[in-house]
Amino acid sequence: MAAKPPSDDLAKLSVNNGGADGKAAVANGAKNGDAANHSGDESEDDADDQTAEPAPGAAKKKKNKKKKPKKKKKAPTSQTDPPSVLMSQLFPNNTYPKGEEVEYKDENRYRTTSEEKRHLDNLNTDFLVDYRHAAETHRQVRQWAQKNIKPGQTLTEIAEGIEDSIRRLVGHDGLAEGDAKVAGVGFPTGLNLDHIAAHYTPNAGNKTVLQQSNVMKVDIGVHVNGKIVDSAFTMSFDPMYDNLLAAVKDATNTGVKEAGIDVRLGELGGLIQETMESYECEINGTTYPIKSIRNLTGHTILPYSIHGTKSVPIVKSADNTKMEEGDVFAIETFGSTGNGYVHDEGEVSHYALRSDAPKVDLRLSSAKSLLNVIKKNFGTIPFARRYLDRLGQEKYLLGLNNLVQSGIVEDYPPLLDKRGSYTAQFEHTILLRPTVKEVISRGDDY
């Protein structure tokens, strides 16, 4: 989920670029426990073999046959299609796979073998378990989505397929009060077509159908106990767009590779931009340079908050802020054949309760009741209108708009480049652990 920087940050960028805030989400602890099936032995009468002589004319009684003990069901060892097996069953005892671990270099190389840093790393066991749980859920859901998304499907069908799969795998359907804050969807699934770069998910009644000619950014968030994994990929069904996708994937991988403790964010943006803009793409006979979208950025992720306090520009800037030990970053890059600059436009679908919301005396009763629903079910985790629909909320738009106008809830309109252009996105979440950099969302797919 992308975000834009405050206006004063734009001045810091060397090519009139802006920064984008990250994504924000909050959740409580995941409690996935699987009850084992137990079958007790049937008790047998000790006198089975001592049968009395039947009375004359009486029918013989049949001996009681011993019942065979019920076989225990074997724990599943592979995922279903669509995904439905709990992660906690596939990986018992919290043995979730690690992400890609990369050793620090230069003056931070010592961290790999430092006893002090290892000790600090070992203090983060629960943190790593939650992040790896969320990351493996993300990998399995997105890989299923990549195989199954086809032109002709509606965006609603695609979004709900992804989100329902996430809920099944973490064991929280989000329907009971507060359940979505324990584990589940980290933010609304972005399905952004062509010139729409970010923050679009279908609202109720949307009948948009994916076409063969579309370039679709798929931005998925998963959280466990508020630890949010934010990772995105782009799909196209025509090789004409291959260079656009290659440019953005390469730029994201450059950002992931060069990121690390003490790296300056403005310099990292320059490396990302250099990689991105070394590509061009021929579409329908016209060659377009690939441009970094200068007012979108990566960002830090905080517990229960998708938008942290640091932004990662994707163009060179004068930002001397350093990455630090313990930071969690979403390294995301966006490339475009258009202006390389986005603006707000269209119907809003993404919302989030502000962590710094002002105390406002709400006079609209619908706004008061909706705020209570949002606090209890999402906290500061971003939500879509569809999530309110599935909770049974009705006629809530007036109250929702009042909360936005009061500064209590933030809305995230779709972010668009010029019509007729094409945009692409790739994104990974990285953990700057004391000993190594862990690309927590890395998979065989990207």
Side-chain angles (χ1 to χ4, degrees):
M1 190 181 146
K4 298 190 298 180
S7 56
D8 58 337
D9 286 344
L10 294 176
K12 296 180 182 178
L13 304 181
S14 62
V15 276
N16 192 27
N17 61 310
D21 300 334
K23 302 164 195 170
V26 180
N28 301 331
K31 301 173 184 175
N32 289 331
D34 303 316
N37 294 319
H38 296 287
S39 55
D41 294 333
E42 298 290 334
S43 61
E44 298 294 339
D45 190 351
D46 291 339
D48 274 351
D49 295 332
Q50 301 175 9
T51 54
E53 285 293 320
K60 283 188 178 180
K61 291 183 179 178
K62 290 183 179 178
K63 270 190 176 181
N64 290 332
K65 291 183 179 178
K66 285 189 177 181
K67 292 182 180 179
K68 294 181 179 178
K70 293 178 181 178
K71 291 182 178 178
K72 292 182 180 179
K73 291 182 180 178
K74 291 184 178 178
T77 57
S78 61
Q79 193 52 265
T80 58
D81 184 359
S84 62
V85 181
L86 285 168
M87 288 291 94
S88 56
Q89 290 184 348
L90 293 178
F91 301 96
N93 303 316
N94 293 328
T95 54
Y96 303 107
K98 295 180 180 180
E100 177 190 21
E101 293 185 331
V102 183
E103 292 183 2
Y104 294 117
K105 54 188 180 181
D106 302 330
E107 65 271 14
N108 281 302
R109 187 181 294 276
Y110 79 96
R111 292 173 171 275
T112 306
T113 55
S114 166
E115 289 298 328
E116 178 191 353
K117 297 303 180 184
R118 283 184 183 178
H119 175 69
L120 289 173
D121 220 9
N122 291 334
L123 296 177
N124 285 333
T125 303
D126 291 343
F127 173 86
L128 290 174
V129 165
D130 288 342
Y131 253 114
R132 289 168 181 166
H133 185 175
E136 184 59 23
T137 302
H138 197 292
R139 274 188 291 274
Q140 294 201 15
V141 171
R142 80 182 188 229
Q143 289 173 10
W144 168 79
Q146 289 165 357
K147 293 175 185 174
N148 288 276
I149 292 174
K150 301 285 188 298
Q153 295 175 327
T154 65
L155 296 193
T156 299
E157 178 184 358
I158 295 168
E160 291 182 346
I162 290 170
E163 292 163 355
D164 287 345
S165 294
I166 291 170
R167 295 178 182 119
R168 286 193 298 269
L169 298 202
V170 297
H172 293 272
D173 64 13
L175 293 175
E177 188 176 280
D179 195 47
K181 293 165 67 175
V182 178
V185 178
F187 52 82
T189 301
L191 299 176
N192 305 287
L193 301 180
D194 302 337
H195 66 296
I196 304 173
H199 295 176
Y200 184 93
T201 200
N203 286 323
N206 187 301
K207 292 180 169 48
T208 304
V209 175
L210 180 63
Q211 304 295 326
Q212 184 78 24
S213 60
N214 286 145
V215 175
M216 182 168 71
K217 282 69 65 187
V218 183
D219 196 356
I220 302 173
V222 180
H223 88 89
V224 173
N225 290 332
K227 313 306 186 298
I228 307 166
V229 171
D230 180 3
S231 185
F233 59 92
T234 300
M235 301 184 74
S236 68
F237 309 95
D238 189 326
M240 177 170 63
Y241 306 110
D242 284 356
N243 257 24
L244 171 60
L245 273 61
V248 183
K249 182 185 286 188
D250 195 4
T252 296
N253 283 331
T254 295
V256 169
K257 178 183 176 183
E258 299 298 333
I261 294 170
D262 295 332
V263 170
R264 297 185 186 277
L265 296 175
E267 293 175 4
L268 183 59
L271 296 172
I272 290 170
Q273 181 180 18
E274 183 180 359
T275 300
M276 179 87 74
E277 298 185 355
S278 67
Y279 285 79
E280 55 186 23
C281 185
E282 183 177 333
I283 300 174
N284 295 323
T286 302
T287 300
Y288 298 90
I290 308 301
K291 301 174 183 176
S292 285
I293 298 181
R294 61 187 180 274
N295 61 330
L296 291 179
T297 72
H299 49 89
T300 46
I301 302 173
L302 301 175
Y304 303 97
S305 179
I306 194 63
H307 288 168
T309 56
K310 299 177 183 177
S311 295
V312 186
I314 59 175
V315 293
K316 185 174 177 57
S317 85
D319 187 353
N320 285 320
T321 304
K322 288 184 177 182
M323 293 180 155
E324 297 174 282
E325 178 183 308
D327 281 345
V328 178
F329 276 95
I331 304 293
E332 61 181 322
T333 74
F334 295 83
S336 175
T337 62
N339 295 326
Y341 192 90
V342 293
H343 60 277
D344 298 349
E345 183 182 322
E347 184 179 63
V348 179
S349 57
H350 289 50
Y351 300 84
L353 179 67
R354 296 176 62 103
S355 58
D356 59 348
K359 291 184 179 180
V360 177
D361 183 17
L362 295 170
R363 297 183 180 181
L364 203 61
S365 60
S366 61
K368 288 181 182 178
S369 61
L370 182 61
L371 178 59
N372 190 45
V373 169
I374 293 169
K375 284 182 175 179
K376 288 182 176 179
N377 288 280
F378 308 115
T380 53
I381 298 172
F383 61 92
R385 290 191 201 174
R386 287 184 289 105
Y387 302 178
L388 295 174
D389 298 335
R390 71 191 294 271
L391 289 174
Q393 295 297 304
E394 298 177 341
K395 300 178 181 178
Y396 53 76
L397 270 181
L398 181 63
L400 183 57
N401 288 335
N402 184 249
L403 293 174
V404 171
Q405 291 161 6
S406 300
I408 297 171
V409 168
E410 185 164 0
D411 63 349
Y412 298 89
L415 299 172
L416 284 61
D417 203 329
K418 70 175 183 179
R419 291 188 180 277
S421 65
Y422 293 91
T423 60
Q425 172 195 19
F426 279 90
E427 177 178 21
H428 275 301
T429 296
I430 65 171
L431 315 180
L432 298 184
R433 291 166 45 196
T435 55
V436 291
K437 171 175 62 182
E438 184 169 353
V439 188
I440 197 73
S441 56
R442 180 72 81 190
D444 295 334
D445 49 349
Y446 65 90

